[in-house]
Amino acid sequence: MKKFIATNGREVLKTITESGVTGYMDASIRADGDTGLAEADRRITRSQPS
């Protein structure tokens, strides 16, 4: 992974997978934000009909 500052001032991680796909991740998102996203995903998944 390579870390850099984007033109908008955000800290970004760039990674390239083994298959050659390039991905960019905003490194400034707080880790506890992931917990909220995961909980929202669980609620959405449970509310969808099977």
Side-chain angles (χ1 to χ4, degrees):
M1 275 192 233
K2 177 183 172 189
K3 187 187 293 187
F4 63 95
I5 304 297
T7 55
N8 64 0
R10 304 290 290 208
E11 187 176 37
V12 176
L13 294 172
K14 176 184 177 183
T15 187
I16 301 174
T17 65
E18 292 176 7
S19 63
V21 176
T22 302
Y24 295 92
M25 298 159 275
D26 186 337
S28 57
I29 296 175
R30 296 184 349 215
D32 59 345
D34 290 344
T35 305
L37 290 172
E39 179 58 32
D41 185 48
R42 280 193 291 276
R43 280 186 266 134
I44 291 168
T45 302
R46 279 184 261 161
S47 67
Q48 293 178 353
S50 301

